[in-house]
């Protein structure tokens, strides 16, 4: 297991389980439990996913089954745009914590920047209050582009530890990655497998054959080799295990370059400059 260190001295696992578009039922619970039993220590949730109750049950059962403690895990959730505003942040945070059945979160993110930049800054003040009160271990953002980050960093007292964004070989986000690196903010990728679309790519499959790994393992390793934290989603036990077996190999420079060359600036999610919930 690899860990990535934040600018505040805390760290998080470089690979975790995503639960976007998983129903709030035993499928979610069992996926989270199996991931923890398989060695995952990071679970990425969000209020808007509507499945925090079952994800929380999976966390509780996973802790028991793996014979670990809550402190061994790194749990993320996110505040949705409807709850933005400095005075709403703590309420929204406590709602997620309660739904998950936890006492605290390791990371809380603003889910999207939104189009109201004053509201963005006002909400970040609430995030800072949460952090300063030591109710949450780390705070960060999701889907922020450079313009959003410039506005935030110029006003913030506490810099985000992380920006979770869309990132895969068809959207390599080089400029954003360089910006984040310069400001010592970590990048994390959501939906790194593009809902399995990238797994059909010829170059990805050729590299997978070269190193005798699966296409998914190639993509997840490509994230790690770019120092990008990643949270592939799966509810299939064998895939959950496969996606985690990425720490015993690396891609060589040529393979990384070939994957980087696939960039088309293609998004599968909304444009962060325009999306408002």
């Amino acid at each position: 297991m690899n860990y990535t260190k934040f600018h505040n001295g805390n760290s998080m696992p470089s690979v975790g389980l995503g639960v976007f578009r998983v129903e709030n039922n035993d499928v979610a619970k069992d996926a989270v439990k199996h991931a923890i039993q398989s060695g995952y220590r990071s679970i990425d949730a969000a209020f808007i996913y509507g499945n925090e109750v079952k994800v929380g049950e999976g966390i509780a059962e996973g802790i028991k089954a793996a014979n670990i403690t809550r402190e061994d895990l790194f749990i993320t959730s996110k505040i949705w745009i409807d709850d933005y505003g400095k005075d709403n942040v703590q309420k929204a945070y406590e709602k997620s914590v309660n739904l998950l059945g936890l006492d605290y979160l390791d990371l809380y993110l603003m889910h999207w920047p939104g189009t109201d930049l004053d509201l963005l800054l006002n909400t970040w003040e609430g995030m800072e209050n949460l952090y300063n009160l030591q109710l949450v271990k780390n705070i960060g953002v999701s889907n922020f582009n450079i313009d959003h980050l410039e506005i935030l960093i110029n006003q913030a007292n506490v810099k985000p530890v992380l920006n979770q964004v869309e990132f895969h070989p068809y959207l390599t986000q080089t400029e954003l990655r360089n910006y984040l690196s310069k400001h010592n903010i970590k990048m994390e990728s959501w939906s790194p497998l593009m809902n399995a679309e990238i797994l059909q790519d010829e170059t990805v499959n050729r590299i997978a054959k070269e190193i005798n790994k699966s296409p998914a393992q190639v993509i997840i390793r490509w994230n790690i080799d770019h120092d990008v934290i990643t949270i592939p989603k799966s509810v299939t036990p064998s895939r959950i295990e496969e996606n985690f077996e990425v720490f015993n190999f690396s891609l060589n420079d040529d393979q990384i370059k070939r994957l980087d060359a696939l960039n088309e600036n293609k998004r599968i999610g909304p444009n962060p400059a325009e999306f408002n919930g």
Side-chain angles (χ1 to χ4, degrees):
M1 162 78 79
N2 288 17
Y3 280 78
T4 299
K5 199 164 191 183
F6 296 145
H7 62 69
N8 64 4
N10 296 335
S11 58
M12 79 174 285
S14 54
V15 176
L17 181 76
V19 295
F20 180 44
R21 290 196 182 126
V22 182
E23 292 288 319
N24 189 40
N25 57 26
D26 284 353
V27 172
K29 181 187 77 172
D30 293 344
V32 171
K33 179 183 178 182
H34 188 75
I36 293 169
Q37 284 181 287
S38 302
Y40 286 73
R41 293 296 175 260
S42 172
I43 307 293
D44 181 86
F47 176 73
I48 198 66
Y49 300 167
N51 57 13
E52 287 183 313
V53 169
K54 286 297 179 180
V55 168
E57 288 178 14
I59 290 168
E61 290 191 13
I63 286 170
K64 207 174 283 182
N67 195 24
I68 59 172
T69 67
R70 161 66 183 95
E71 288 67 37
D72 292 320
L73 296 180
F74 190 100
I75 311 298
T76 301
S77 192
K78 311 174 193 83
I79 182 170
W80 187 243
I81 293 173
D82 292 350
D83 288 323
Y84 280 10
K86 181 171 69 172
D87 297 336
N88 299 328
V89 172
Q90 188 170 334
K91 225 176 349 189
Y93 174 78
E94 287 169 355
K95 192 162 49 177
S96 278
V97 168
N98 290 335
L99 287 169
L100 288 161
L102 302 173
D103 296 324
Y104 68 93
L105 293 176
D106 297 277
L107 177 62
Y108 199 46
L109 305 177
M110 285 182 65
H111 206 146
W112 287 88
T115 53
D116 183 338
L117 300 180
D118 288 334
L119 183 60
L120 182 163
L121 291 172
N122 183 258
T123 303
W124 188 253
E125 277 187 61
M127 298 285 283
E128 290 180 332
N129 290 343
L130 208 58
Y131 180 72
N132 291 330
L133 289 168
Q134 298 185 340
L135 296 173
V136 67
K137 305 281 186 189
N138 306 280
I139 53 173
V141 296
S142 184
N143 300 302
F144 277 44
N145 61 29
I146 292 173
D147 291 344
H148 299 125
L149 291 161
E150 281 282 273
I151 290 162
L152 184 63
I153 289 169
N154 285 336
Q155 296 287 325
N157 295 310
V158 180
K159 191 167 65 170
V161 296
L162 174 148
N163 185 20
Q164 184 187 110
V165 297
E166 184 177 348
F167 171 74
H168 42 71
Y170 293 169
L171 182 70
T172 54
Q173 302 257 38
T174 307
E175 199 183 343
L176 178 60
R177 270 190 294 132
N178 290 338
Y179 179 90
L180 292 169
S181 177
K182 186 177 121 191
H183 289 277
N184 201 10
I185 298 169
K186 292 298 173 184
M187 184 155 138
E188 180 177 34
S189 66
W190 56 257
S191 205
L193 307 178
M194 292 183 72
N195 303 325
E197 183 185 334
I198 195 71
L199 305 183
Q200 313 309 315
D201 184 89
E202 274 181 41
T203 301
V204 174
N205 279 274
R206 214 169 292 129
I207 291 169
K209 283 200 180 80
E210 286 168 18
I211 60 176
N212 198 26
K213 297 291 176 184
S214 73
Q217 287 171 324
V218 168
I219 298 301
I220 295 163
R221 186 68 225 189
W222 175 79
N223 276 260
I224 295 167
D225 289 341
H226 272 309
D227 194 29
V228 175
I229 299 161
T230 189
I231 44 168
K233 171 223 152 182
S234 181
V235 295
T236 309
S238 60
R239 292 265 165 78
I240 289 170
E241 291 165 26
E242 176 190 303
N243 291 347
F244 197 66
E245 289 164 3
V246 291
F247 299 109
N248 59 353
F249 72 99
S250 290
L251 300 173
N252 64 35
D253 288 346
D254 173 65
Q255 289 161 341
I256 290 170
K257 276 183 194 146
R258 282 153 63 198
L259 291 168
D260 290 352
L262 297 173
N263 182 53
E264 302 171 4
N265 294 325
K266 175 183 177 176
R267 293 185 180 276
I268 58 166
N271 182 342
E274 300 162 0
F275 183 74
N276 202 37

